[in-house]
Amino acid sequence: MKKIAVLGYGVVGSGVVELFYKNKEKIEKNTGKELDVKYILDLREFPGDPYADKVVHDINVILDDPEVGYVAECMGGVNPAFQFVSSCLKAGKSVSTSNKQLVAEKGDILLQIAKENDCNFFFEASVGGAIPIIRPLHTCLAGNDISAAAGILNGTTNFILEKMFCDKMGFEEALKLAQELGYAERDPSADVDGADACRKVCILASLIFGKHVYPDSVYTKGIRDITLEDVSLAEAMGGAVKLIGCTKRLNDGRILSTVMPMFVPEDSLISHVDGVFNAVMVWGDGFDKTMFYGRGAGKLPTASAVLGDIIDCAKADHTVTSHEWVLDENTDFIAGIDAFCVPRFYRTDSCTADVYESAAKAAGVTVENTTEGGCIVSCCDNKTADSFANALKASGVSVMSQIPVMAD
Amino acid sequence: MKKIAVLGYGVVGSGVVELFYKNKEKIEKNTGKELDVKYILDLREFPGDPYADKVVHDINVILDDPEVGYVAECMGGVNPAFQFVSSCLKAGKSVSTSNKQLVAEKGDILLQIAKENDCNFFFEASVGGAIPIIRPLHTCLAGNDISAAAGILNGTTNFILEKMFCDKMGFEEALKLAQELGYAERDPSADVDGADACRKVCILASLIFGKHVYPDSVYTKGIRDITLEDVSLAEAMGGAVKLIGCTKRLNDGRILSTVMPMFVPEDSLISHVDGVFNAVMVWGDGFDKTMFYGRGAGKLPTASAVLGDIIDCAKADHTVTSHEWVLDENTDFIAGIDAFCVPRFYRTDSCTADVYESAAKAAGVTVENTTEGGCIVSCCDNKTADSFANALKASGVSVMSQIPVMAD
């Protein structure tokens, strides 16, 4: 019987242990194997915990035990997670992690070590929490040429934007509520400024396009500048403002990855994803488009994804099924934000359709939609988008916001 | 080098061959193996087709060739598909099928044969076309106790209902348009009367609950009775009418499976799934709920799912990763429609809120929402739902439609 070790007994780690024992019989039936959690690694003691006797404080206990075949890394952060995971893989133990920072920064290296040691490195929980997205990308959809993925990758900001949209709360008030409900940290910057979504974009981009995309290659802008007025105008124009993480292959073959607030038209399913839920739309040549939706965070949802990986490890045994990507030192394959070309949504003070039209003509774009104090213009790059704003200003119109539009 | 044989060179089979050669390099990189299509089995000849030289007419050519490791069954129907697939599995060749009828009627037997012969029987394409749903259920979500799945499993009827909803077409007119666009057959009954969705519900139910659920265990009702007035009233009451296939485990442990038109409130993502797209929502203890959305039919979308299976076969080699379910001759685990308990949507002629309230009181339900000529009452079984309708009739109110409400 191969056994499981769980690294880190915090929210996610304890969820993995809880869900495993709740569904042990079902899991063993599915894998056709007896399974058990043998060790829980944590610096702390957990007196009174039903699994307190499994707690160890030294990673070597796990590394040296040949009975441990599968490791769930739920510690977070790069250090010492990277050393621990590397060592486990080198000892031939397959690893599943929920640690997006680890995958975004060290995924290429860990996948390589796993391959060399005939075991798997899985990270389904690192993007979209419980949502099956990583495995479908490298199995179910693997017969396709995938060209893009985009969606809501951070539940905290989606909750805040929904409160602004539905309950007409201001940003600060909605953030305070998210903090009270435990959806946002006391320092909310990783969520609100986009770093969390950025890491998930890196993982999706690396997996889809086969080359490691680092966080600093992703243009990242958070939601702090989004106002209640922006959100209300978006509603009036038939859409919603969402924080969208996106990676796509441009016509010239380069990869453009972004995290930014976008206007999402209501005919896209993404615009209807509410609360702390996440959703990722993926585009490819055979399947056209497909969307994955679910809980992006939380104890049991994240545990669900980690356990799914462990089950796959147990079934696959030493068949290495994980995908890999490589490090390309030459970063010419990364496109900069100057290559970003989408329609744009503008919020202005009072302005007639005529004035929008002449500014559009001056900037070389087409007005696609107008309403009181707002318009949407056709696909353009940032420079052209600024030209349009400047042309409006030259006509005496104030431009309060300029938000890119997500294309479906 | 293991080779692929494709059974049936119709729409799906030719899509598999086309997509394979389009993305051959990518697929070989993913699997780490050289792959090629060696045979295409069809009764017809295909002069001028680029792969005409691969066409054979005798299944034994494929069965007797040890080089063939993977078989894509795209013939449809139970005979001779069942014989061919059985023989391939007995010869140790893993099979992927897009044939929902085959899986719904013979899935348990074929999974057993696959297991005995150390190979895989996969059927990702049989539910939801391109949508990754089968594999996520038995891998990513396998750490959970899954309690229900429900959604839009037939694109033709969803297209018709959308045309009624958005373009105010009558049922007959929308059906005619679907036929003109090639979405519906000349004899549309398999789609319109629910048999197609029923087969997909059988597959989902069998996979999730581990016992084979046959089509005659699924209460099945199509969309022929849905009128433009029903669809318009649904819109006025904040929802849409969709043909919903559903399977769920009741509190007493029995499985209730249904296909029927349902009122879907707009706060469910399912209500926003338009056109020929499919979507399946799944509920479980760890992940809460997750939804899968994409193209449910068509040449390349279906081929995408078949190829994904073949890729998984190639990666897994002789590790048997497919899930299995058993035949339980005792059908006590199947609940009848008398156990069906959901809120209900009624379309009536002019009626005051007071009259709805007193009829509800008489029937023992609660009125949850009313509008001009319509109301929604709380969860009840069919008998109570009829009592409410009868109480309305006794007050002189005509009841034109009674549609169950999908709970999220």
Side-chain angles (χ1 to χ4, degrees):
Chain A
M1 174 170 36
K2 285 277 187 73
K3 302 226 167 142
I4 302 163
V6 177
L7 313 188
Y9 202 45
V11 173
V12 177
S14 62
V16 170
V17 176
E18 179 184 329
L19 197 62
F20 173 78
Y21 283 109
K22 185 157 186 288
N23 296 320
K24 187 168 183 282
E25 196 183 335
K26 197 175 281 271
I27 292 167
E28 289 182 333
K29 192 168 166 229
N30 182 315
T31 56
K33 289 179 185 163
E34 276 184 70
L35 289 169
D36 203 5
V37 174
K38 186 162 183 181
Y39 301 114
I40 295 164
L41 180 78
D42 204 290
L43 291 174
R44 300 163 289 178
E45 295 287 352
F46 296 87
D49 184 280
Y51 307 108
D53 60 320
K54 298 181 189 291
V55 175
V56 295
H57 308 298
D58 180 0
I59 184 72
N60 290 306
V61 175
I62 292 165
L63 293 174
D64 293 343
D65 188 338
E67 211 183 19
V68 174
Y70 319 112
V71 175
E73 189 277 296
C74 312
M75 301 163 57
V78 173
N79 290 307
F82 176 63
Q83 289 88 329
F84 287 4
V85 170
S86 311
S87 303
C88 288
L89 294 170
K90 283 175 187 164
K93 303 172 195 307
S94 287
V95 176
S96 163
T97 184
S98 59
N99 185 338
K100 50 199 170 275
Q101 195 185 352
L102 180 68
V103 184
E105 295 184 19
K106 304 284 186 185
D108 54 335
I109 302 169
L110 293 169
L111 283 163
Q112 192 56 40
I113 297 175
K115 196 181 175 187
E116 286 163 9
N117 291 279
D118 202 20
C119 56
N120 282 298
F121 175 57
F122 286 142
F123 41 88
E124 185 62 73
S126 67
V127 179
I131 305 173
I133 171 75
I134 301 294
R135 187 163 283 98
L137 280 173
H138 73 78
T139 56
C140 310
L141 304 177
N144 296 268
D145 183 32
I146 296 176
S147 52
I152 296 166
L153 298 169
N154 179 275
T156 307
T157 44
N158 203 51
F159 174 85
I160 291 171
L161 291 169
E162 188 205 352
K163 286 290 151 194
M164 294 170 72
F165 187 88
C166 294
D167 300 342
K168 306 296 165 211
M169 283 186 188
F171 171 78
E172 292 297 341
E173 190 188 354
L175 170 59
K176 196 159 161 273
L177 179 62
Q179 286 170 321
E180 282 166 14
L181 293 171
Y183 295 149
E185 308 279 330
R186 205 185 305 173
D187 173 2
S189 57
D191 292 319
V192 165
D193 297 322
D196 175 76
C198 167
R199 286 178 187 139
K200 293 165 181 169
V201 166
C202 291
I203 298 170
L204 288 174
S206 304
L207 187 69
I208 293 171
F209 300 117
K211 291 183 179 185
H212 199 109
V213 173
Y214 286 97
D216 62 6
S217 298
V218 180
Y219 175 89
T220 302
K221 187 172 184 298
I223 64 164
R224 285 191 201 264
D225 295 342
I226 299 298
T227 65
L228 195 48
E229 290 74 22
D230 294 331
V231 168
S232 300
L233 182 69
E235 187 178 8
M237 296 196 79
V241 178
K242 298 285 186 187
L243 183 67
I244 300 295
C246 176
T247 183
K248 64 192 287 189
R249 192 182 53 229
L250 304 177
N251 289 336
D252 63 12
R254 290 182 304 156
I255 309 306
L256 177 61
S257 304
T258 53
V259 172
M260 57 171 73
M262 298 186 93
F263 171 85
V264 185
E266 65 191 354
D267 58 4
S268 168
L269 266 189
I270 296 279
S271 76
H272 301 283
V273 173
D274 285 335
V276 293
F277 280 83
N278 284 197
V280 186
M281 191 77 81
V282 184
W283 290 263
D285 56 354
F287 63 88
D288 181 16
K289 64 177 179 179
T290 183
M291 194 187 87
F292 304 87
Y293 160 92
R295 289 199 177 269
K299 178 177 177 167
L300 291 181
T302 310
S304 159
V306 173
L307 260 188
D309 282 350
I310 298 283
I311 289 167
D312 213 19
C313 290
K315 279 175 161 175
D317 231 338
H318 279 275
T319 305
V320 178
T321 64
S322 51
H323 211 51
E324 50 173 345
W325 60 71
V326 298
L327 176 62
D328 189 344
E329 305 260 350
N330 180 344
T331 56
D332 287 354
F333 72 99
I334 299 288
I337 195 66
D338 54 308
F340 183 66
C341 188
V342 296
R344 313 281 170 150
F345 163 103
Y346 293 86
R347 182 165 68 83
T348 66
D349 56 9
S350 187
C351 176
T352 64
D354 280 359
V355 175
Y356 286 137
E357 287 294 348
S358 29
K361 206 171 167 188
V365 292
T366 310
V367 177
E368 295 191 338
N369 193 2
T370 62
T371 187
E372 177 63 34
C375 73
I376 292 172
V377 304
S378 57
C379 230
C380 61
D381 60 18
N382 282 354
K383 208 172 144 192
T384 310
D386 289 342
S387 300
F388 176 72
N390 289 334
L392 285 179
K393 287 174 199 160
S395 309
V397 178
S398 301
V399 177
M400 270 79 83
S401 309
Q402 174 183 324
I403 300 176
V405 175
M406 181 182 165
D408 202 5
Chain B
M1 176 170 34
K2 285 277 186 72
K3 301 226 166 140
I4 301 164
V6 177
L7 312 188
Y9 202 45
V11 174
V12 177
S14 63
V16 169
V17 176
E18 178 184 331
L19 197 62
F20 172 78
Y21 283 109
K22 185 159 187 286
N23 295 319
K24 187 166 183 280
E25 195 183 335
K26 198 174 280 270
I27 292 167
E28 290 182 332
K29 194 171 163 224
N30 182 314
T31 56
K33 290 181 183 159
E34 276 184 71
L35 289 170
D36 204 4
V37 174
K38 186 163 184 181
Y39 302 114
I40 296 165
L41 180 79
D42 205 290
L43 291 174
R44 300 163 289 179
E45 294 286 351
F46 296 87
D49 184 281
Y51 308 108
D53 60 320
K54 299 181 189 290
V55 174
V56 295
H57 308 298
D58 181 359
I59 184 73
N60 291 305
V61 175
I62 292 164
L63 293 174
D64 294 343
D65 188 337
E67 212 183 19
V68 175
Y70 319 112
V71 176
E73 189 276 298
C74 312
M75 302 163 56
V78 172
N79 290 307
F82 176 63
Q83 290 87 329
F84 288 4
V85 171
S86 310
S87 304
C88 289
L89 294 170
K90 284 175 186 164
K93 303 172 195 307
S94 288
V95 176
S96 162
T97 184
S98 59
N99 185 338
K100 50 197 168 277
Q101 195 184 351
L102 181 68
V103 184
E105 296 184 18
K106 303 284 185 185
D108 54 336
I109 302 170
L110 293 169
L111 283 164
Q112 191 58 38
I113 298 175
K115 196 182 176 189
E116 286 163 8
N117 291 279
D118 202 20
C119 56
N120 282 298
F121 176 58
F122 286 142
F123 41 88
E124 185 63 71
S126 67
V127 179
I131 305 174
I133 169 77
I134 302 293
R135 187 162 282 100
L137 281 173
H138 73 78
T139 56
C140 311
L141 304 177
N144 296 268
D145 183 32
I146 296 176
S147 52
I152 296 165
L153 297 169
N154 179 274
T156 307
T157 45
N158 203 52
F159 174 84
I160 292 171
L161 291 169
E162 187 204 354
K163 285 291 151 192
M164 294 171 73
F165 187 88
C166 293
D167 300 342
K168 307 296 166 212
M169 282 185 187
F171 170 78
E172 291 298 340
E173 189 188 354
L175 170 59
K176 196 158 161 276
L177 179 62
Q179 286 170 321
E180 282 167 14
L181 293 171
Y183 297 149
E185 307 281 329
R186 204 186 307 172
D187 173 2
S189 58
D191 292 319
V192 165
D193 298 322
D196 174 76
C198 167
R199 287 180 186 135
K200 293 165 181 169
V201 166
C202 292
I203 299 170
L204 289 175
S206 305
L207 187 70
I208 292 171
F209 300 117
K211 291 185 180 183
H212 198 108
V213 173
Y214 285 97
D216 62 6
S217 297
V218 180
Y219 175 88
T220 303
K221 186 172 185 293
I223 63 164
R224 285 192 201 263
D225 295 343
I226 299 298
T227 65
L228 194 49
E229 291 74 22
D230 295 332
V231 168
S232 300
L233 181 68
E235 186 178 8
M237 296 196 78
V241 178
K242 299 285 185 187
L243 183 67
I244 300 295
C246 176
T247 184
K248 63 192 288 193
R249 193 180 53 228
L250 304 177
N251 289 336
D252 64 12
R254 290 182 304 157
I255 309 305
L256 176 62
S257 304
T258 53
V259 172
M260 56 172 73
M262 299 186 92
F263 171 85
V264 186
E266 65 190 356
D267 57 5
S268 167
L269 265 189
I270 295 279
S271 77
H272 301 283
V273 172
D274 286 335
V276 294
F277 281 83
N278 284 197
V280 186
M281 191 77 81
V282 183
W283 290 264
D285 56 354
F287 62 89
D288 181 16
K289 64 178 178 177
T290 181
M291 194 187 86
F292 304 87
Y293 160 92
R295 288 199 177 270
K299 179 177 178 167
L300 291 182
T302 311
S304 159
V306 173
L307 260 187
D309 281 350
I310 299 283
I311 289 166
D312 213 19
C313 291
K315 277 176 162 174
D317 232 338
H318 280 273
T319 304
V320 178
T321 63
S322 51
H323 211 53
E324 50 173 345
W325 60 71
V326 298
L327 175 63
D328 189 343
E329 304 260 349
N330 180 345
T331 56
D332 287 353
F333 73 98
I334 299 287
I337 196 66
D338 54 305
F340 183 66
C341 189
V342 296
R344 313 280 171 151
F345 163 103
Y346 293 84
R347 183 165 67 83
T348 67
D349 56 8
S350 186
C351 177
T352 63
D354 280 358
V355 176
Y356 286 137
E357 287 291 351
S358 28
K361 205 170 166 189
V365 292
T366 311
V367 177
E368 294 190 340
N369 193 3
T370 62
T371 186
E372 178 62 35
C375 72
I376 292 172
V377 304
S378 58
C379 230
C380 62
D381 60 18
N382 282 353
K383 207 173 147 193
T384 310
D386 288 342
S387 299
F388 176 72
N390 289 334
L392 285 179
K393 286 173 199 162
S395 309
V397 178
S398 301
V399 177
M400 270 79 84
S401 309
Q402 173 183 325
I403 300 175
V405 175
M406 182 183 167
D408 202 5

